[in-house]
Amino acid sequence: MASAEGGLASLSHPPQETSREALQRELDDAIIRTAGSHRRDDALSVVHISPSDHSRVQSSILTSSIVSRTGLGALDRLPVELLLQALQHMDMQALFNLRRVNLRARQMIDSLKEYRAVVSHGLTAYCALLRMGLAAHVTLLDFYRVLCSQDCAFCGKFGGFVFLPSWIRCCFECIEEDPETRMVTVAEVRRVFRLSRAEVGRQRVCQTMPGLYRRRLYSTEKSYQRRRLRLLPWFPAMREFGDRLETKGVRARHWHRWDPAHNFMASCELPYYDSQIQAVEYGISCAGCEARTVEQDPGQASRPADVPWDRLFSRDNFLKHFKICRQAQKLWESSPEAALEAIIKRDVHHE
């Protein structure tokens, strides 16, 4: 488990802080480094793209190899404001294709604050959408809206991930546990509902990416998926074709087979972007709660759903949690950085 410092590396400090505010933020940063952690293993258990892969696609996403100075044809007849609004409502696949037309197209798209935020902080999710055939279902504004949200749409906790087929922010637990994130193979859906190819074509089918995926939520077991699978969300198909289960013989024949690993193959990490202070958060777990859990049951092989350290916090909520978590406070008090708190209290007292 990695230190929380790595998860906060890209946080930027708000401008024009007073000396007291700057000292308090420095103290908060020190507390997070000492008593918080960022669970990198979770991010590596879903769709993951290595930095080296990012470097190979940046030429098409962040720059353009086409240097033509021609215009955009009929699009140039639109007022600039209207053209920019149209670009914001385009899907991510269309934007990707349009940027490859010429330099003028690249400059127009790159001028959008939403696009700059997406490629700066959500590049893994963007690449996953493109490679899995889902980019045509997510507009730039859709992407930006979810990037700037921080709560899991299912349980309300901090959500450091996104469920790609429906483009919904979620937490790691809800990837497996919420019914809306259940993924099944196309072959299985066709078998259960007796779908035609045209009916399958109306569903949001995705092609999985090779990689190492978690088998179950509360297990450390992973499996390497070499071949690409065709998956689709179960519940949209159930809502549309569920009535067929009642009219085709014994219902037990239509029980569907579900592999929890498929849910993780359709999700990836997505940090929360605070557009006000232009900072990103990946979520912080409590090292104190984790230490207490290990002390209570060091041989525990699985984690119950209510284990406190399983929860991810936003920066502000972690600092609130720290005030009531005695184990986290002990970690802080035993840290060399705890002396910083005494300095701040002394400076505040002298103001």
Side-chain angles (χ1 to χ4, degrees):
M1 184 173 299
S3 166
E5 186 175 5
L8 299 170
S10 53
L11 283 171
S12 58
H13 291 182
Q16 299 180 342
E17 287 183 324
T18 65
S19 58
R20 180 174 178 176
E21 290 172 339
L23 284 172
Q24 183 60 52
R25 176 168 283 274
E26 187 175 349
L27 171 61
D28 292 343
D29 289 344
I31 290 174
I32 291 172
R33 287 194 297 270
T34 302
S37 63
H38 182 55
R39 299 206 300 267
R40 291 304 306 163
D41 186 63
D42 289 351
L44 299 177
S45 300
V46 293
V47 176
H48 174 70
I49 300 174
S50 68
S52 60
D53 288 338
H54 280 325
S55 64
R56 286 196 288 268
V57 302
Q58 283 177 344
S59 60
S60 59
I61 292 180
L62 300 177
T63 60
S64 175
S65 59
I66 303 173
V67 294
S68 171
R69 297 189 177 276
T70 58
L72 296 177
L75 291 178
D76 280 330
R77 301 173 187 172
L78 296 174
V80 174
E81 295 80 3
L82 186 58
L83 175 57
L84 293 178
Q85 288 183 20
L87 293 175
Q88 289 174 328
H89 288 85
M90 290 180 67
D91 63 72
M92 300 305 296
Q93 183 66 61
L95 284 176
F96 178 81
N97 295 338
L98 182 59
R99 287 191 80 260
R100 301 167 66 184
V101 171
N102 58 33
L103 183 60
R104 168 67 171 163
R106 181 177 67 84
Q107 290 173 336
M108 291 297 296
I109 295 172
D110 291 357
S111 69
L112 298 169
K113 68 173 185 179
E114 294 86 358
Y115 184 83
R116 293 196 302 272
V118 163
V119 297
S120 297
H121 309 301
L123 190 54
T124 291
Y126 186 15
C127 291
L129 288 173
L130 290 169
R131 294 186 185 184
M132 297 172 68
L134 295 170
H137 302 292
V138 181
T139 69
L140 177 58
L141 286 182
D142 288 337
F143 200 124
Y144 186 72
R145 174 182 53 81
V146 172
L147 183 66
C148 294
S149 65
Q150 64 173 308
D151 296 334
C152 173
F154 304 113
C155 70
K157 296 187 296 186
F158 182 90
F161 298 82
V162 62
F163 181 62
L164 295 164
S166 53
W167 194 247
I168 294 177
R169 183 174 286 282
C170 58
C171 64
F172 194 71
E173 290 76 13
C174 286
I175 290 176
E176 177 178 337
E177 295 183 341
D178 195 276
E180 292 289 337
T181 60
R182 181 166 295 190
M183 297 292 289
V184 294
T185 64
V186 170
E188 182 67 6
V189 171
R190 292 193 68 180
R191 180 191 70 82
V192 171
F193 297 113
R194 302 294 191 269
L195 300 187
S196 65
R197 290 187 177 181
E199 289 172 327
V200 171
R202 296 201 302 267
Q203 306 304 304
R204 195 162 292 189
V205 177
C206 69
Q207 292 271 1
T208 63
M209 294 172 54
L212 193 64
Y213 295 100
R214 183 78 62 92
R215 294 294 306 168
R216 303 283 313 198
L217 178 59
Y218 300 114
S219 170
T220 57
E221 182 185 0
K222 296 182 182 180
S223 64
Y224 187 79
Q225 183 65 44
R226 288 181 173 82
R227 65 188 185 94
R228 303 189 71 178
L229 304 176
R230 296 181 71 228
L231 303 178
L232 58 81
W234 166 257
F235 266 76
M238 182 67 180
R239 283 193 290 266
E240 185 173 355
F241 305 108
D243 58 337
R244 299 185 183 185
L245 299 183
E246 302 291 346
T247 61
K248 291 185 179 292
V250 182
R251 190 182 182 93
R253 288 179 52 202
H254 305 290
W255 178 82
H256 75 283
R257 292 183 287 268
W258 169 58
D259 184 347
H262 291 168
N263 297 21
F264 297 107
M265 296 178 191
S267 308
C268 76
E269 185 179 42
L270 182 70
Y272 158 60
Y273 175 61
D274 187 335
S275 59
Q276 296 297 316
I277 61 174
Q278 298 182 9
V280 294
E281 297 186 33
Y282 288 85
I284 306 165
S285 62
C286 180
C289 290
E290 178 185 359
R292 182 174 67 247
T293 302
V294 173
E295 289 175 0
Q296 292 173 348
D297 191 357
Q300 187 178 24
S302 61
R303 299 171 296 183
D306 59 350
V307 171
W309 72 272
D310 245 6
R311 179 175 180 180
L312 284 184
F313 299 92
S314 65
R315 176 189 174 89
D316 291 342
N317 285 336
F318 176 80
L319 293 172
K320 292 176 182 177
H321 171 78
F322 173 79
K323 294 178 180 179
I324 62 174
C325 181
R326 185 54 191 155
Q327 193 67 33
Q329 293 171 12
K330 287 181 179 179
L331 291 176
W332 169 247
E333 291 164 0
S334 63
S335 168
E337 293 188 284
L340 178 63
E341 184 173 16
I343 296 174
I344 291 178
K345 290 181 177 179
R346 182 192 63 196
D347 291 344
V348 169
H349 178 74
H350 290 161
E351 284 185 0

